[in-house]
Amino acid sequence: MDSETSVSGVASPTADAGAEDPPVVLTHGDALSRFQKGIADLISSDPALSYLPSDVSLDEARLQLALHQGKAVTVFLRKLDNSIIPIPVLQGSRVLDLKRSVRLHVGSQLRRAGKTMPVSWKYVWRTYSLAVGQTKLEDDNKFLLFYGIGNRTEVTFMKKLRRENKGKRMRSRAED
């Protein structure tokens, strides 16, 4: 492709007016691969983003830039298999924002590992709570600072206890 011809094949004003090149038609796959290659080149050339994988999502890139600018903190999540994942969250975030970041980073980690089995986050949050020490992060609307979560704080999954029917007894048909 000529350097003075755009991707759509339309000649730029500096191009020779007498020479007309046929329009370049790209398939969706070709355009997508060119775009991804351009993004990968851009990420690898930026010193703040050079350590990110080439298939980084927009949210991951934003959080990494916020970390670099000092607008975010890193929370370490200890999973049930004792592996630790660094989770960046913006300063002043709430518990719900931390849960969204956990979902984003665990999902991208599984996708990059080639695992296609979906995670039922509804089941995860119904069965487990995030906890700092022995304190469960039960209220999604509370700020992380309320629980003492700052930079380099370790958060774990803690099994939730089953709730009983709060004094209401279910009668069986035999009692009727």
Side-chain angles (χ1 to χ4, degrees), residues 55 57 60 102-113:
D55 64 341
S57 70
E60 288 175 309
V102 167
R103 180 179 180 173
L104 171 75
H105 282 76
V106 169
S108 63
Q109 185 183 45
L110 291 173
R111 186 181 71 245
R112 289 182 186 119

